[in-house]
Amino acid sequence: MEPPRSSDQRKADALAKLEEQGSDLWLASSSSSGQVHLVPLSFAWDGERVIIATEAGSVTVRNISDTQRARLALGTTRDVVMIDVVPVGTVAVPDAPIETAECYATKADWDPRTVGGDFVYVLLRPERIQVWRESNEIEGRTVMQRGLWLV
């Protein structure tokens, strides 16, 4: 087992995972009645928000709208970044600012503007970020709390 990383290194590693082009994440949400939903999605990071694109009528959009929260997971079980997020906006793909659409198309490696359908971009702001590899990194895993970096 490798020695635990410093908080600064964990933050850097989390940001590196968020910046990876063509990466996917797992998004967990629940309905207001507690029905859990988990889906894999492409994403983009614009430096402040995670951007996902999905169908406007999806369970994911409905759950996030109803409960105003979701949890994201990036990486593997032995090198994970867990992100608790809150929505800061949903915009129909045709109405999105060009910066949002281009950021998503470039980083997610697909462009919902070209596939038709009723897609929206959901903009998610991190509230808490946790980063760990093995059990020796459980302590100190939180690098962001209440939307503020701790390191």
Side-chain angles (χ1 to χ4, degrees):
M1 182 180 313
E2 293 182 37
R5 294 169 288 177
S6 69
S7 295
D8 287 332
Q9 186 61 53
R10 292 185 207 203
K11 176 184 176 182
D13 291 349
L15 289 170
K17 280 193 186 321
L18 284 164
E19 287 291 342
E20 285 179 8
Q21 186 170 336
S23 293
D24 297 319
L25 55 73
W26 288 96
L27 187 148
S29 63
S30 68
S31 68
S32 53
S33 66
Q35 185 68 34
V36 177
H37 184 67
L38 179 68
V39 292
L41 293 167
S42 298
F43 76 96
W45 171 251
D46 70 3
E48 295 180 11
R49 304 168 301 183
V50 174
I51 305 166
I52 62 165
T54 190
E55 293 176 328
S58 70
V59 172
T60 298
V61 170
R62 186 172 54 249
N63 286 351
I64 291 172
S65 295
D66 288 350
T67 64
Q68 294 293 296
R69 62 185 176 165
R71 177 171 261 200
L72 315 177
L74 292 82
T76 66
T77 58
R78 295 197 185 264
D79 190 7
V80 67
V81 176
M82 300 290 285
I83 307 172
D84 294 328
V85 294
V86 295
V88 292
T90 300
V91 60
V93 165
D95 301 331
I98 191 70
E99 300 84 18
T100 300
E102 289 298 318
C103 176
Y104 186 85
T106 300
K107 293 187 177 181
D109 279 346
W110 80 280
D111 191 342
R113 297 174 292 182
T114 65
V115 296
D118 189 20
F119 282 88
V120 295
Y121 295 109
V122 182
L123 311 173
L124 303 164
R125 181 174 39 86
E127 284 288 301
R128 181 175 71 158
I129 299 178
Q130 297 179 310
V131 184
W132 73 94
R133 288 186 180 151
E134 300 280 346
S135 60
N136 66 345
E137 287 194 353
I138 296 296
E139 184 177 330
R141 68 186 175 266
T142 302
V143 296
M144 177 186 278
Q145 188 72 29
R146 293 181 294 283
L148 301 172
W149 291 105
L150 302 177
V151 293

